[in-house]
Amino acid sequence: MKFMKLGSKPDAFQSEGSCVRYVSSELASDVTISVGQVKFHLHKFPLMSKSNRLQKLISQTSEEESSNEIELVDFPGGPKAFEICAKFCYGMTVTLNPYNVVAARAASDYLEMTEDIERGNLIFKIEVFLNSSVLRSWKDSIIVLQTTKSLLPWSENLKVVGRCIDSIASKTSVDPSTITWSYTYNRKLATSDEIIQSGIKLPEKIQSVPKDWWVEDICELDIDLYKRVMITIKSKGRMDGSVIGEALKTYAVRWLPDSVDSLVSEVHSMRNKSLVETIICLLPSDKGISCSCSFLLKLLKVAILVGADDSLMEDLIRSIGLKLDEASFSDLLIPARSSQTTTYDIELVQRLIDEFVANEKRSRDLKIADKNVKSDSDFVLGHGSLLKVGKIVDDYLAEVARDPNISVSRFIQLSQSIPGSARPIHDGLYGAIDMYLKEHKSLTKAEKKNLCGLMDVKKLTMEASMHAAQNEHLPLRVVVQVLFFEQAKAAAAGIHAVTNGQNAMDSPRYTDENWGKAAQENRKSLRIRMDEMKIKEDEVLKNGKLVKRGSKNRGSGSQLLPSRSRRIFDKLWIVGKGFGNGENNKSSETSASSQSPTSLIQGEIKTSVSSSRRRRHSIS
């Protein structure tokens, strides 16, 4: 810390109680100066030789022949600052330092201790100390800036505040390799300790001064001064947005309380609200915000609790929407407000997702304009963030599905808030729907149908399909669809394997001329595959289990499908023949046991082939 000593005479000021100060001298005092509650018994000549204002006041008092007491109203810095000025007038030793220099500067200005009265007066010496020492020191500039708040408006009018802010902002922008002054960086020490404790060897060369070396030191500033410093740093344009984001995060962690009760307490609610609103204002407005999405969401939760301004909340929502893909579903578990019936604020999460999707659409439109992107697949491959948000939404849906107060319409609306390209696989959505069906058992058939309509069974993996085939909560139609497409995929896989058995070099290249012939061959192969499946289907039913013919131990034959799946296949014909009258349905139900899943698939394929032939005949 820098300091400056003025004067050479011994300090002769003495106290008499807490309210009287006098100079020990052979000469009796001839003037009394009242500053606040303290009375200074002094001598006229030393004061008049240095202070233009005291010279006028003492002369005026002598002419009026009144008492020799002069009262200085609203004296900046109080009795301590006046004592510094008085000692300087007497030539006594006085020490200036970053903690008292602003008060001394304001007091000397009040007393008009200028060069007009005497060369090398107090104002001149203080300015030399400020410019040559204090403002060149990193930590001293911060200390001086902290002391200016109690001396407003003097510190503003004397431009001490502005000069300190500019000094601090300029130092943050210098090349870190040229920094020689001390600074606080506990995060660096904590990281080193953690590495040492974990037994990891430190790299041979570590950057001595990180880019965000200044972040912790300015955290000691009051929020108003901190805001002005950050605005000045940003205005210089030499600071990365990532470092600014780190600084804001560090300040928030430093000053925001951890408990909800402390946040909303009447004593600190206004201060916390001002702090949150200031941090939101200072956030960089582009996607380069280094603050993690998790931190921004925590800031949003605090902003809701303290009742931050609506326009600032909108700004924060937009910032979160820019990088929602970096969040986790647990970050989105924002408690609902008092007016809401659900456990979590689903409406707010809906807005965040909508903001992200809108931003992705804008980015896509720009790419289409710039690079002439033609397909959705190119868009998805180039935007992994959309896929990440799709997973986050599905995880969030699975969590909020446990809430008994979330309606089907709200659940469906939230699940449809992301485009289909964000869900190449529907396992996560299936898990959320399954959870909702388990927790909401009183749903109507129509509601279940709408809910399950969100899911595309063709996009389920084998594991999810196996689970869905045995899921008692799913509607029968959905289970039938799952089983049908699994059988179709198995058939297609078999045909694909046979086709791939040929030499790849001998495989035909389909053109418009031979495409019809190739289609007929594929249908013929599919029919052969179906006949093979028909032969495999010819098994005997014993003790409620499907047993392969020729098995050595028929009693312990492998069960091909679970019991409910077999019942569904038995009823499959009812679904397929449900377009007729009630009698037809009944007859179908009685004959269901004589049918099989394979024959159904084979029948449907034959029907589709014959119908396609009829259509070709009619066209010709």
Side-chain angles (χ1 to χ4, degrees):
M1 184 173 64
K2 305 292 183 181
F3 63 91
M4 172 184 256
K5 284 191 174 183
L6 303 176
S8 57
K9 296 179 181 179
D11 184 357
F13 269 69
Q14 296 185 5
S15 302
E16 188 176 299
S18 59
C19 298
V20 176
R21 298 283 286 162
Y22 65 92
V23 177
S24 178
S25 174
E26 297 178 355
L27 299 175
S29 62
D30 52 6
V31 65
T32 302
I33 309 293
S34 297
V35 180
Q37 301 296 323
V38 180
K39 295 183 181 296
F40 291 86
H41 299 286
L42 305 173
H43 303 88
K44 294 180 181 180
F45 179 74
L47 300 178
M48 294 175 67
S49 64
K50 303 287 186 181
S51 170
N52 190 28
R53 183 161 189 164
L54 288 178
Q55 188 181 92
K56 296 175 185 177
L57 291 174
I58 292 173
S59 300
Q60 184 179 355
T61 303
S62 301
E63 291 176 1
E64 296 175 356
E65 296 182 357
S66 58
S67 62
N68 290 331
E69 184 172 343
I70 299 173
E71 184 176 2
L72 301 179
V73 182
D74 297 330
F75 191 85
K80 290 184 178 180
F82 178 80
E83 186 172 334
I84 292 174
C85 295
K87 287 180 179 179
F88 179 80
C89 292
Y90 279 91
M92 298 178 186
T93 302
V94 60
T95 303
L96 295 177
N97 58 58
Y99 291 99
N100 63 16
V101 66
V102 179
R105 178 65 181 87
S108 62
D109 192 76
Y110 182 96
L111 296 174
E112 300 176 8
M113 303 176 72
T114 63
E115 297 295 289
D116 297 338
I117 300 297
E118 183 179 84
R119 289 190 63 182
N121 212 338
L122 185 56
I123 290 178
F124 172 79
K125 293 187 179 297
I126 292 176
E127 286 295 325
V128 170
F129 177 58
L130 280 172
N131 295 326
S132 64
S133 297
V134 174
L135 296 179
R136 292 188 177 185
S137 170
W138 165 249
K139 289 193 174 181
D140 288 349
S141 297
I142 296 175
I143 293 171
V144 171
L145 185 58
Q146 286 176 301
T147 63
T148 59
K149 188 172 183 180
S150 61
L151 292 162
L152 295 173
W154 289 92
S155 55
E156 285 283 6
N157 296 335
L158 297 171
K159 299 182 180 180
V160 177
V161 177
R163 284 185 287 170
C164 287
I165 290 174
D166 190 67
S167 172
I168 294 170
S170 298
K171 288 178 175 61
T172 61
S173 303
V174 302
D175 185 355
S177 62
T178 62
I179 293 176
T180 57
W181 54 80
S182 62
Y183 57 88
T184 304
Y185 198 76
N186 293 325
R187 289 168 297 153
K188 179 180 178 181
L189 296 176
T191 303
S192 301
D193 293 341
E194 182 180 346
I195 293 174
I196 293 172
Q197 290 175 3
S198 61
I200 302 174
K201 293 183 179 180
L202 291 172
E204 295 181 0
K205 188 175 182 180
I206 301 179
Q207 183 182 4
S208 58
V209 181
K211 289 183 179 180
D212 57 346
W213 61 270
W214 50 272
V215 165
E216 291 184 37
D217 284 326
I218 66 170
C219 279
E220 300 305 317
L221 295 173
D222 185 78
I223 186 61
D224 296 331
L225 294 173
Y226 181 85
K227 179 180 180 179
R228 293 178 62 178
V229 169
M230 291 301 298
I231 290 174
T232 307
I233 291 174
K234 292 172 66 176
S235 67
K236 290 184 178 295
R238 288 177 282 179
M239 187 62 61
D240 292 341
S242 59
V243 181
I244 292 176
E246 181 65 22
L248 296 175
K249 178 181 177 180
T250 305
Y251 192 85
V253 172
R254 170 70 173 81
W255 291 106
L256 282 176
D258 296 331
S259 65
V260 176
D261 294 337
S262 300
L263 276 171
V264 299
S265 64
E266 295 182 0
V267 180
H268 302 293
S269 61
M270 291 303 298
R271 171 187 169 276
N272 293 333
K273 179 181 178 181
S274 175
L275 193 152
V276 171
E277 290 180 343
T278 300
I279 292 176
I280 296 174
C281 286
L282 294 172
L283 284 172
S285 57
D286 54 16
K287 199 170 183 178
I289 303 173
S290 84
C291 294
S292 65
C293 192
S294 177
F295 167 71
L296 294 178
L297 285 165
K298 290 178 182 177
L299 193 63
L300 180 60
K301 295 176 186 178
V302 175
I304 294 172
L305 288 173
V306 300
D309 183 74
D310 291 339
S311 62
L312 293 175
M313 294 270 285
E314 291 295 329
D315 292 340
L316 184 56
I317 289 173
R318 280 192 290 271
S319 297
I320 296 172
L322 290 172
K323 52 192 314 177
L324 189 62
D325 56 301
E326 298 178 12
S328 64
F329 85 92
S330 58
D331 296 328
L332 297 178
L333 299 178
I334 302 172
R337 283 163 278 189
S338 57
S339 59
Q340 298 172 332
T341 58
T342 55
T343 305
Y344 300 109
D345 196 339
I346 299 175
E347 295 178 8
L348 180 58
V349 173
Q350 180 78 61
R351 292 176 59 195
L352 293 173
I353 297 171
D354 292 343
E355 185 67 33
F356 173 82
V357 172
N359 181 69
E360 286 292 311
K361 185 178 183 301
R362 287 191 294 268
S363 300
R364 179 190 179 187
D365 293 341
L366 290 174
K367 285 201 170 186
I368 291 175
D370 295 342
K371 299 181 180 179
N372 195 22
V373 178
K374 296 180 179 179
S375 64
D376 288 343
S377 59
D378 294 336
F379 169 69
V380 173
L381 290 174
H383 292 73
S385 57
L386 191 63
L387 301 178
K388 292 179 183 178
V389 171
K391 185 179 186 308
I392 293 170
V393 171
D394 287 346
D395 292 341
Y396 181 79
L397 285 170
E399 184 65 29
V400 300
R402 306 172 189 271
D403 188 350
N405 294 324
I406 180 174
S407 63
V408 177
S409 59
R410 172 61 67 184
F411 186 89
I412 292 175
Q413 181 184 4
L414 186 61
S415 65
Q416 293 176 334
S417 58
I418 56 175
S421 56
R423 285 195 186 101
I425 298 175
H426 277 204
D427 286 17
L429 181 58
Y430 164 69
I433 293 173
D434 179 45
M435 181 60 65
Y436 192 92
L437 291 173
K438 288 179 181 178
E439 299 296 331
H440 301 77
K441 298 181 179 180
S442 60
L443 296 178
T444 64
K445 290 183 178 180
E447 289 175 332
K448 287 184 177 180
K449 179 180 178 182
N450 293 335
L451 187 64
C452 293
L454 298 170
M455 177 178 58
D456 186 352
V457 297
K458 295 189 294 294
K459 294 184 178 181
L460 295 178
T461 62
M462 176 65 74
E463 291 78 11
S465 297
M466 293 296 293
H467 186 277
Q470 305 176 65
N471 194 337
E472 297 287 343
H473 300 286
L474 291 178
L476 177 63
R477 181 180 295 274
V478 177
V479 178
V480 169
Q481 291 176 346
V482 171
L483 293 171
F484 173 77
F485 283 111
E486 281 303 312
Q487 290 290 341
K489 282 192 289 185
I495 296 172
H496 183 66
V498 173
T499 305
N500 288 343
Q502 301 176 354
N503 192 323
M505 297 299 293
D506 298 333
S507 60
R509 296 183 180 272
Y510 294 135
T511 63
D512 293 338
E513 297 178 358
N514 62 10
W515 176 255
K517 182 178 179 181
Q520 289 182 354
E521 293 178 356
N522 287 338
R523 285 196 295 271
K524 186 182 296 184
S525 299
L526 181 60
R527 193 176 297 111
I528 294 171
R529 178 62 179 169
M530 293 298 101
D531 291 340
E532 292 176 358
M533 293 179 65
K534 177 64 179 177
I535 294 172
K536 292 181 180 180
E537 175 206 357
D538 190 14
E539 297 171 343
V540 293
L541 183 64
K542 183 177 182 181
N543 297 328
K545 294 183 179 180
L546 291 173
V547 184
K548 293 183 178 180
R549 181 179 297 177
S551 174
K552 293 181 180 180
N553 187 3
R554 299 190 180 188
S556 60
S558 59
Q559 186 173 350
L560 299 180
L561 291 173
S563 59
R564 188 182 184 228
S565 300
R566 291 200 312 276
R567 293 199 305 272
I568 290 169
F569 273 119
D570 292 340
K571 298 177 182 179
L572 191 58
W573 297 112
I574 301 175
V575 178
K577 300 183 179 181
F579 300 101
N581 55 25
E583 295 178 359
N584 291 337
N585 291 342
K586 290 180 181 179
S587 62
S588 301
E589 188 174 354
T590 56
S591 61
S593 59
S594 64
Q595 306 295 335
S596 67
T598 311
S599 61
L600 170 65
I601 298 172
Q602 181 179 358
E604 289 192 1
I605 293 174
K606 288 180 179 180
T607 302
S608 63
V609 171
S610 60
S611 62
S612 63
R613 287 174 179 173
R614 287 195 296 271
R615 286 194 296 270
R616 288 198 298 273
H617 178 73
S618 60
I619 292 171
S620 61

